[in-house]
Each structure stands twice: as C-alpha cells, then as structure tokens.
Amino acid sequence: MKITVLGCGALGQIWLSALDQQGHEVQGWLRVPQPYCSVNVIDLNGQVINKTYIANDPLFLAESELLLVTLKAWQVSEAVRNLQTLLRPHCPILLLHNGMGTIDELKSLTQPILQGITTHAAKRDGTVIIHVANGVTHIGPGTPESASLSELADTLHHALPDVAWHNHMASTSWQKLAVNCVINPLTVIYDCRNGDLLPYRDEISRLCDEIATVMEREGQHTSRDSLMDYVFAIIDSTAANTSSMLQDIRSQRRTEIEYITGYLLRRARAQGIATPENSRLYELVKRKEQDYERERIGAGLPGTWN
Ligand SMILES: NC(=O)C1=CN([C@@H]2O[C@H](COP(=O)(O)OP(=O)(O)OC[C@H]3O[C@@H](n4cnc5c(N)ncnc54)[C@H](OP(=O)(O)O)[C@@H]3O)[C@@H](O)[C@H]2O)C=CC1
Ligand SMILES: CC(C)(CO)C(=O)C(=O)O
C-alpha cells in the first residue's frame, strides 16, 4: 500500500519503520516541509533502525491509499484540513491519538475517517525514538463511510501487531478517555509517576464518579466502581511511566488537556451534569500551561501555540 504518515514524532516513526519493513511504500509529512525525513528508532529488541524516507511529496500524497495521522490531538484538525484537497476523495484517514473530539472538528471532510487509540509506548530520547513497550492499537469507524474498512486492521496488524478492529469505537474510546482524565492531570498536579497515584484513592473515586455519570448519559454502560478497577489496573501496569501530560508540562509544551478533560467537560455541560472535581483539575493544568506561556512571551520568545 502507499501510505503517508502525518506527524513523524514518536508514534509516527515507529509506524513508518514498521510499515516500510512490511513492504509498504511510505512517506512522512512534516510540519516544516522537507524533501526527506529521518527515522531513528530503537525497536523492542534493541535493534537500531536508521532510515530516510521521502517527505512532503504532494504527488505521493495524491496517490496515497491511507493517511495515518500520528499528531497530538490539538494538531490534528488544522493539519488534516490543510491536506484534504490534495488527497483522493476516498483516501481513508486514520487518526491515532489520545483524547476525543477531533472527529467532530473534521465532520465536513469527504474522506472516510477512522479513529484509533494505542497502548504501544514510544518516547523520544534526544534524536532517537525508543519503542518502550508493545501494545494493542484499536481502530474503528469514525464516520459511517469508513465502516467497511475493517481489512485495514489486518494490513496494519501485519506491520505493527496487535491491531484490533471495532465496529463501534465509542466504548473503547471512552474507557481510554476515562483513564486519561484521571491519570494524566493527577500526575501533573502531584508531579509524579503513574504508580505514585495509589494513595489518592478518594480523589480518584470522586473523579470516576463524575466520569461514569457523563459516560452513562452518553450511552456507555459503566459505573464508578468498574472505572476505578480499570484505572487502578492501568496505574499498576504503567506504574513506572511518566504520563504524556506530565512529560508535556515538564518540557513546557502544550498538553492534550482540551481533548481529554476538556472533552469530558464539554459533554458534561451539554448533558447538564456538574463535574467539580474534573473541572478543578482542568483549571489547574490550564493554569500551569498559561504560566509558562506567559513566561515565554515575557522573555521575548514566541508563544508556542497562540
Ligand atoms: N508516544 C506514545 O507512546 C504514545 C502516544 N499516544 C498519542 O499519540 C499521539 C502522538 O503522540 P507522539 O507520537 O508521542 O507525539 P509527538 O509529539 O512525538 O509527535 C507528533 C509529531 O507531529 C509533528 N507535527 C506537529 N504539527 C504538525 C503538522 N502540522 N504537520 C506535520 N507534523 C506535525 C511534531 O513535530 P514538531 O515537534 O516539529 O511540531 C511531532 O514530530 C498523541 O495524541 C499521544 O498522546 C498514545 C499512546 C502512546
Ligand atoms: C495510559 C497513560 C496514562 C499511560 O501513561 C497514557 O495514555 C498517557 O500517559 O497519556
């Protein structure tokens, strides 16, 4: 298959090299256009992969049979919209990111959109991307036109297993959102690894109570207790992780809070549900972001996202 990977960061590089090794024709798409992109990955076996792929070639893009989007949630809609007219009208677009809400922003697109979430873990270390942990990538239709594209899961599974197809992604997406609403902001507030959240059981219970209420109203069958079991299982299995939100805060980058807790709060507001605990965490994370943004501008540096 001919595949363009939009966003050549941690996940993007893992996918570029995996798809290439499986015999697919790939290109990367960079924010600042360049003719080539470098992939430097240390895979799960400790093998070093150094490769160069073509990048930002509009002809390749026009012939692509898949646009795989591995951007942060807040980067997605503008970047995809910019490429929309260069893509074939039926080229599937697979959005692979944490958080929810990007599909709503891309409703006007003619191309079929798929959504995906992953439990693979990859991190940047200087100029190298380390594939830290194997995982499962769950994909499914984001728009009705993509409901028939389940064979994509097989293609992707052969490149970077496991990939699972879901006819209905809502349940998987909401479960993941719930986990991110709890673990990500709490690790920022307490400046700790995921595993260090164990003592905050009461706070986690209050968060899960609100999240379960919103999820129930959104048609998801769940409860505070089942969400808590799931959150604590993830805290346990990712105990040594620094959450992606804490990594962003420590590097003074924009976080994905608007698409994680922000999405939950928007749905809660639409349903008339009060979410004081989640709102408090949202405000605390936003304040941290704004503080360092103000510092940057005060120091005469350009803002990172305004
Ligand atoms: N890494 C991981 O282990 C996991 C990540 N995720 C999720 O996957 C998503 C991607 O994460 P990750 O790969 O870590 O993120 P990265 O920040 O490593 O990758 C994003 C890349 O996209 C580039 N980019 C930004 N804007 C554009 C644009 N307009 N056009 C082209 N490229 C652009 C960035 O470049 P630049 O820096 O130059 O702007 C960066 O290289 C996130 O939602 C994350 O939460 C989920 C599970 C695991
Ligand atoms: C599941 C979790 C919390 C793992 O660290 C994650 O998805 C993240 O850090 O964004």
Side-chain angles (χ1 to χ4, degrees), residues 98-111:
N98 273 353
M100 290 172 76
T102 52
I103 299 271
D104 302 336
E105 295 172 348
L106 291 170
K107 264 191 186 130
S108 60
L109 257 66
T110 51
Q111 288 84 1

Side-chain angles (χ1 to χ4, degrees), residues 41-53:
V41 168
I42 300 183
D43 73 11
L44 287 164
N45 305 315
Q47 195 190 327
V48 179
I49 300 155
N50 281 324
K51 293 210 71 167
T52 301
Y53 299 107

Side-chain angles (χ1 to χ4, degrees), residues 135-197:
V136 183
T137 302
H138 302 271
I139 71 169
T143 53
E145 311 80 61
S146 58
S148 59
L149 298 174
S150 61
E151 75 279 4
L152 254 181
D154 296 328
T155 308
L156 297 175
H157 177 79
H158 286 117
L160 188 59
D162 290 342
V163 178
W165 175 263
H166 300 258
N167 286 325
H168 303 284
M169 273 296 284
S171 160
T172 317
S173 299
W174 269 105
Q175 291 278 329
K176 171 80 169 146
L177 190 87
V179 162
N180 288 133
C181 281
V182 175
I183 298 180
N184 294 29
L186 284 181
T187 54
V188 169
I189 306 310
Y190 295 113
D191 191 23
C192 68
R193 287 180 189 265
N194 296 359
D196 300 328
L197 292 178

Side-chain angles (χ1 to χ4, degrees), residues 22 100 104 142 217 230 270 306:
Q22 194 59 31
M100 290 172 76
D104 302 336
R217 207 68 75 76
Y230 187 51
N306 289 321

Side-chain angles (χ1 to χ4, degrees), residues 198-208 228 232 277:
L198 286 177
Y200 302 105
R201 199 173 178 89
D202 288 350
E203 202 169 347
I204 292 174
S205 166
R206 289 195 296 274
L207 289 166
C208 286
M228 281 197 58
F232 276 102
E277 278 295 319

Side-chain angles (χ1 to χ4, degrees), residues 3-306:
I3 301 172
T4 295
V5 177
L6 170 58
C8 306
L11 277 192
Q13 291 197 29
I14 299 287
W15 274 103
L16 274 167
S17 77
L19 290 164
D20 170 44
Q21 281 174 44
Q22 194 59 31
H24 296 288
E25 233 183 304
V26 293
Q27 78 156 335
W29 199 276
L30 304 162
R31 182 167 51 82
V32 180
Q34 282 172 44
Y36 300 102
C37 70
S38 309
V39 163
N40 296 311
V41 168
I42 300 183
D43 73 11
L44 287 164
N45 305 315
Q47 195 190 327
V48 179
I49 300 155
N50 281 324
K51 293 210 71 167
T52 301
Y53 299 107
I54 62 159
N56 297 70
D57 176 354
L59 267 180
F60 187 114
L61 183 66
E63 289 167 359
S64 290
E65 295 153 282
L66 172 66
L67 178 69
L68 175 56
V69 183
T70 48
L71 296 170
K72 296 279 190 174
W74 56 269
Q75 297 163 339
V76 168
S77 55
E78 190 186 342
V80 171
R81 238 183 268 281
N82 284 341
L83 301 187
Q84 173 192 0
T85 53
L86 299 173
L87 287 169
R88 295 202 296 205
H90 299 296
C91 175
I93 301 173
L94 169 54
L95 310 179
L96 198 54
H97 61 75
N98 273 353
M100 290 172 76
T102 52
I103 299 271
D104 302 336
E105 295 172 348
L106 291 170
K107 264 191 186 130
S108 60
L109 257 66
T110 51
Q111 288 84 1
I113 304 181
L114 300 111
Q115 50 187 326
I117 53 175
T118 190
T119 60
H120 279 272
K123 65 169 187 192
R124 182 179 287 280
D125 186 1
T127 57
V128 179
I129 304 298
I130 307 174
H131 191 181
V132 184
N134 224 335
V136 183
T137 302
H138 302 271
I139 71 169
T143 53
E145 311 80 61
S146 58
S148 59
L149 298 174
S150 61
E151 75 279 4
L152 254 181
D154 296 328
T155 308
L156 297 175
H157 177 79
H158 286 117
L160 188 59
D162 290 342
V163 178
W165 175 263
H166 300 258
N167 286 325
H168 303 284
M169 273 296 284
S171 160
T172 317
S173 299
W174 269 105
Q175 291 278 329
K176 171 80 169 146
L177 190 87
V179 162
N180 288 133
C181 281
V182 175
I183 298 180
N184 294 29
L186 284 181
T187 54
V188 169
I189 306 310
Y190 295 113
D191 191 23
C192 68
R193 287 180 189 265
N194 296 359
D196 300 328
L197 292 178
L198 286 177
Y200 302 105
R201 199 173 178 89
D202 288 350
E203 202 169 347
I204 292 174
S205 166
R206 289 195 296 274
L207 289 166
C208 286
D209 199 27
E210 292 177 6
I211 298 166
T213 307
V214 178
M215 285 175 67
E216 283 281 352
R217 207 68 75 76
E218 292 284 308
Q220 299 303 312
H221 181 60
T222 190
S223 66
R224 181 198 60 190
D225 291 349
S226 67
L227 280 188
M228 281 197 58
D229 288 347
Y230 187 51
V231 167
F232 276 102
I234 302 293
I235 287 176
D236 186 49
S237 65
T238 64
N241 277 28
T242 300
S243 78
S244 57
M245 195 171 281
L246 180 54
Q247 288 180 43
D248 285 339
I249 288 282
R250 284 183 176 164
S251 309
Q252 304 206 338
R253 289 188 302 251
R254 183 176 178 175
T255 73
E256 296 184 289
I257 191 80
E258 281 299 342
Y259 292 82
I260 297 177
T261 311
Y263 182 80
L264 178 89
L265 299 187
R266 288 192 290 281
R267 293 316 308 152
R269 212 171 299 128
Q271 305 284 7
I273 298 166
T275 49
E277 278 295 319
N278 283 279
S279 300
R280 190 177 62 83
L281 292 193
Y282 171 83
E283 292 302 335
L284 286 169
V285 174
K286 291 297 281 186
R287 205 168 308 147
K288 278 185 183 285
E289 277 186 341
Q290 280 155 10
D291 282 350
Y292 56 66
E293 189 63 358
R294 251 194 305 270
E295 269 174 38
R296 284 182 69 84
I297 292 165
L301 296 166
T304 48
W305 63 85
N306 289 321

